[in-house]
Amino acid sequence: MKKILNRPDAYVDEMLQGLCLAHGEALRQIGDDGRVIARTGGAIPGKVGIVTGGGSGHLPVFLGYIGAGLLDACAVGNVFAGPRVADCQAAAEAANGGAGILQLYGNYGGDRMNFDMAQEFLELEGIEVASVRVADDVASAPTAERHKRRGVAGIVYAYKIAGARAAAGGSLEEVRAAAEKAALACRSIGVALTPCVVPESGKPSFTIADDEIEFGMGIHGEPGIWRGKLPTADALAQEMLDRLLPELDLQRGARVAVLVNSLGATPPEELYILYRHIARVLADKGATPVMPLVGRYATSMDMAGASLTLMPLDAELEALLRAPADCPFWRVA
């Protein structure tokens, strides 16, 4: 293992300290163990608070999207491990402006269990809570079992849509409905070229030959659909589209949000090569990409690879996507 760190067991806490020092205008570290990150200005009275949570190792997901028009607080776990129940609860309490709390997180067993327990405790405190889980990874389960799919980069769009609705004064039910609409609209798929190294283990998360890829791999190294020789970028982008488009049924004139995401080590240059093909295919189908995002938005430590997320837009979703937002890792003017 070759990483910039002091001690593997201090990796997450020292990262959080540095993050909040670097972005003190937006982020503050709270909770009895410092594993809750919240807005610097505290909860906004009368606004629905939006909280998320998950394991470390995915920056900017999850904690990086705290800010105006986005999230209010995040509970942070160890690398690739869900946050504690107490931190989920503390994040919600920090975000509580009196209009209710939306818990918005990825569809993973540990996260589900801990956020469900936190919701029970919060409701005992008299706080109204709703929950939406994002399950956008088409590689992780067939359409008929969509509720079993993993949540991956599509959660970025769910954050944006829910955050914009809350910032506009939406009720808890309206914010929940907007988040669920975005979560249901998103489809994602990823491909891994190399493993990542989790500091606590010091070893690659899996092994793969230098000339191979794993198509459909999850952001924690979950098995994909197939493993084989690395194809050209155009062929790779085409198969990603071939896996996503049949579930979306885009018609001519459709407008669609497009996110080409680095899993950590893949540089922007290679992402733009992928986007070049994706944009051409969408244009051929008569679909228009809206506010395309190309870069690091949901990573897997130092894994090389990329994911593609598509979210068809109606007028409501596009207006919420375009609404102003500002956080350390994404700004919409």
Side-chain angles (χ1 to χ4, degrees):
M1 178 173 69
K2 185 183 289 183
K3 288 182 180 291
I4 298 172
L5 49 73
N6 294 306
R7 304 191 326 267
D9 62 348
Y11 182 86
V12 173
D13 295 308
E14 292 184 351
M15 175 274 293
L16 293 176
Q17 293 163 13
L19 185 77
C20 290
L21 288 169
H23 302 288
E25 78 290 348
L27 306 177
R28 62 190 173 111
Q29 194 175 7
I30 59 175
D32 61 3
D33 59 355
R35 292 294 187 92
V36 175
I37 304 299
R39 286 181 186 238
T40 294
I44 300 174
K47 188 188 85 69
V48 172
I50 305 175
V51 302
T52 192
S56 298
H58 302 299
L59 271 175
V61 164
F62 303 89
L63 60 160
Y65 295 102
I66 295 170
L70 289 157
L71 304 174
D72 295 280
C74 176
V76 182
N78 285 326
V79 174
F80 295 176
R84 299 186 311 158
V85 176
D87 290 331
C88 297
Q89 186 176 351
E93 291 167 345
N96 182 23
I101 295 294
L102 174 68
Q103 299 185 137
L104 179 54
Y105 55 96
N107 190 28
Y108 293 92
D111 295 345
R112 285 199 307 270
M113 180 177 69
N114 290 351
F115 275 108
D116 284 350
M117 292 178 66
Q119 181 167 348
E120 292 179 10
F121 290 131
L122 292 163
E123 288 173 344
L124 288 174
E125 295 179 18
I127 299 173
E128 190 178 6
V129 181
S131 294
V132 171
R133 293 190 286 267
V134 178
D136 55 317
D137 186 350
V138 304
S140 54
T143 305
E145 297 181 308
R146 195 174 168 213
H147 63 285
K148 296 181 180 178
R149 287 178 174 174
R150 302 179 290 252
V152 286
I155 200 169
V156 175
Y157 284 132
Y159 290 160
K160 180 67 183 72
I161 298 303
R165 194 71 189 88
S171 67
L172 178 58
E173 173 52 27
E174 290 170 335
V175 175
R176 185 208 61 78
E180 187 167 83
K181 186 176 183 179
L184 290 172
C186 286
R187 299 291 189 280
S188 300
I189 195 161
V191 56
L193 279 65
T194 68
C196 65
V197 176
V198 176
E200 287 88 341
S201 72
K203 299 177 181 177
S205 53
F206 59 92
T207 57
I208 189 168
D210 288 344
D211 60 348
E212 286 185 328
I213 65 164
E214 179 136 345
F215 193 94
M217 178 165 275
I219 59 172
H220 305 105
E222 297 93 339
I225 299 170
W226 60 262
R227 177 177 289 200
K229 301 295 184 185
L230 175 63
T232 65
D234 285 357
L236 192 58
Q238 186 59 53
E239 180 164 354
M240 296 170 101
L241 288 165
D242 289 344
R243 300 277 182 174
L244 301 185
L245 290 175
E247 294 204 18
L248 298 175
D249 190 28
L250 293 181
Q251 303 297 313
R252 297 195 72 81
R255 298 174 68 77
V256 57
V258 181
L259 167 57
V260 181
N261 170 60
S262 170
L263 293 179
T266 292
E269 287 86 348
E270 295 173 31
L271 302 179
Y272 282 113
I273 291 172
L274 288 173
Y275 182 75
R276 160 189 164 275
H277 184 83
I278 293 162
R280 286 180 176 176
V281 171
L282 291 176
D284 289 344
K285 293 182 175 299
T288 301
V290 176
M291 292 175 57
L293 302 176
V294 180
R296 290 186 179 92
Y297 290 87
T299 65
S300 180
M301 301 290 293
D302 49 348
M303 184 185 289
S307 65
L308 170 63
T309 299
L310 301 178
M311 181 175 71
L313 301 169
D314 61 10
E316 179 192 19
L317 287 178
E318 182 166 346
L320 293 170
L321 182 64
R322 291 184 179 280
D326 192 11
C327 72
F329 295 90
W330 189 16
R331 183 170 188 267
V332 181

